[in-house]
Amino acid sequence: TRRDLIIEVLHEQDSVTVADLSKRLGVTEVTTRKDLQLLEEQGYLTRVRGGAVMSGRGQLELRFAARQQLHLDVKRRLAARAVRYIEPGQTIFLDGSSTVFQMTRLLRDQQNLTVLTNGLYAALELSFAPGIITIVVGGILRRHTSSLVDVLNPNLLRRLHVDIAFLSCRGFTMSNGMMESDLREAQIKRSMAMAAQRTIALVDHSKFGEPVTASSLLPEEIDAVISNTALDQEYREKLVAEGTELELV
């Protein structure tokens, strides 16, 4: 649609003019202004004299959408397997990753479930699930991942009872386990895993062998890893040798 194209152009160059957009779209400037007004009302952009600039919300949504599309089919398969661990009456933690986010779309009909999350989009998705109590772990917004880090009351996490923590990561190595590019992201994931009775990692094959800045959990601290069948045989054998339950989908 025209509006999708406007958002795409804004993503590429951060600002647009009415005149340039009208030429690109082959419509009048009046039509273009109406499109910009609607997109502003939806929060995607901010109109300025003669054009528009990308809004903060628009930037967040585009970043998250881009992460979602990477290995999307695999993420959906991992999520579908992960939700089979969940039972009514449980309290679970879902991190803010785009992989774990896929679980939220499979939980809408769940009853008597409490979900803790530091993911903004996970919380928004679950707000449409009447049988789920959603608790957002507050903190500082990390724009790159649309997640909250640096929990304002770290003692609160230690007092929580969580049945299962579902986590993903930016990279995974056998020496450092699950890793994040941001230390604060790694810390909150570790805190939630330590509060949980069981920790399940959703990690597709592309993340193995990719070291990044900060480790959140070592391999021996993870109860189960759900990955896809493209995972290298070497990692399969090493995870099993560590005593980690491994499922391939």
Side-chain angles (χ1 to χ4, degrees):
T1 67
R2 288 197 314 273
R3 289 158 196 158
D4 289 333
L5 286 171
I6 291 171
I7 292 172
E8 188 176 323
V9 172
L10 272 171
H11 183 48
E12 293 172 355
Q13 58 192 52
D14 293 330
S15 64
V16 291
T17 66
V18 171
D20 180 53
L21 278 177
S22 297
K23 289 178 183 177
R24 287 194 188 208
L25 300 172
V27 296
T28 67
E29 292 191 4
V30 173
T31 299
T32 299
R33 288 192 183 93
K34 288 180 180 178
D35 286 339
L36 293 178
Q37 180 178 355
L38 182 62
L39 289 170
E40 182 178 48
E41 290 170 358
Q42 293 175 342
Y44 287 105
L45 54 80
T46 301
R47 286 187 296 165
V48 296
R49 184 178 179 83
V53 296
M54 181 69 82
S55 69
R57 173 189 159 185
Q59 290 173 5
L60 283 177
E61 293 195 0
L62 283 168
R63 285 192 193 117
F64 193 77
R67 288 169 53 219
Q68 281 282 74
Q69 292 304 312
L70 194 62
H71 304 299
L72 179 57
D73 180 62
V74 173
K75 289 174 179 178
R76 286 174 173 166
R77 297 206 311 270
L78 302 186
R81 182 63 193 90
V83 296
R84 291 166 60 185
Y85 283 94
I86 299 170
E87 298 177 0
Q90 287 185 327
T91 296
I92 64 172
F93 174 72
L94 303 180
D95 73 10
S97 67
S98 59
T99 301
V100 171
F101 172 78
Q102 291 299 324
M103 293 177 64
T104 63
R105 294 178 169 173
L106 303 173
L107 293 175
R108 289 180 179 175
D109 297 327
Q110 283 275 355
Q111 299 297 316
N112 191 24
L113 188 69
T114 300
V115 177
L116 296 158
T117 185
N118 70 318
L120 295 180
Y121 288 105
L124 287 171
E125 189 73 22
L126 292 171
S127 68
F128 297 100
I132 296 177
I133 296 172
T134 303
I135 301 171
V136 180
V137 180
I140 298 170
L141 174 64
R142 185 171 177 239
R143 293 180 179 83
H144 184 70
T145 56
S146 301
S147 60
L148 298 169
V149 296
D150 279 348
V151 178
L152 299 182
N153 184 2
N155 292 325
L156 174 64
L157 293 183
R158 289 193 282 269
R159 294 174 184 168
L160 295 172
H161 169 82
V162 179
D163 293 292
I164 310 174
F166 293 94
L167 310 172
S168 190
C169 57
R170 288 292 300 277
F172 191 109
T173 66
M174 292 310 301
S175 56
N176 294 302
M178 301 177 72
M179 305 186 75
E180 301 296 332
S181 58
D182 185 272
L183 177 61
R184 299 167 302 172
E185 194 88 48
Q187 287 173 333
I188 191 167
K189 291 186 181 187
R190 180 170 186 80
S191 295
M192 293 311 305
M194 293 299 103
Q197 299 295 305
R198 186 168 169 77
T199 298
I200 298 176
L202 288 69
V203 189
D204 73 66
H205 75 283
S206 69
K207 295 177 180 177
F208 281 83
E210 293 292 327
V212 285
T213 307
S215 174
S216 57
L217 289 171
L218 297 174
E220 60 266 26
E221 295 174 315
I222 303 164
D223 296 296
V225 171
I226 303 174
S227 191
N228 56 313
T229 52
L231 180 63
D232 190 86
Q233 184 64 31
E234 175 190 358
Y235 288 108
R236 300 185 191 194
E237 294 172 358
K238 288 181 177 179
L239 284 167
V240 172
E242 284 283 355
T244 305
E245 182 183 332
L246 175 64
E247 292 196 57
L248 301 174
V249 295

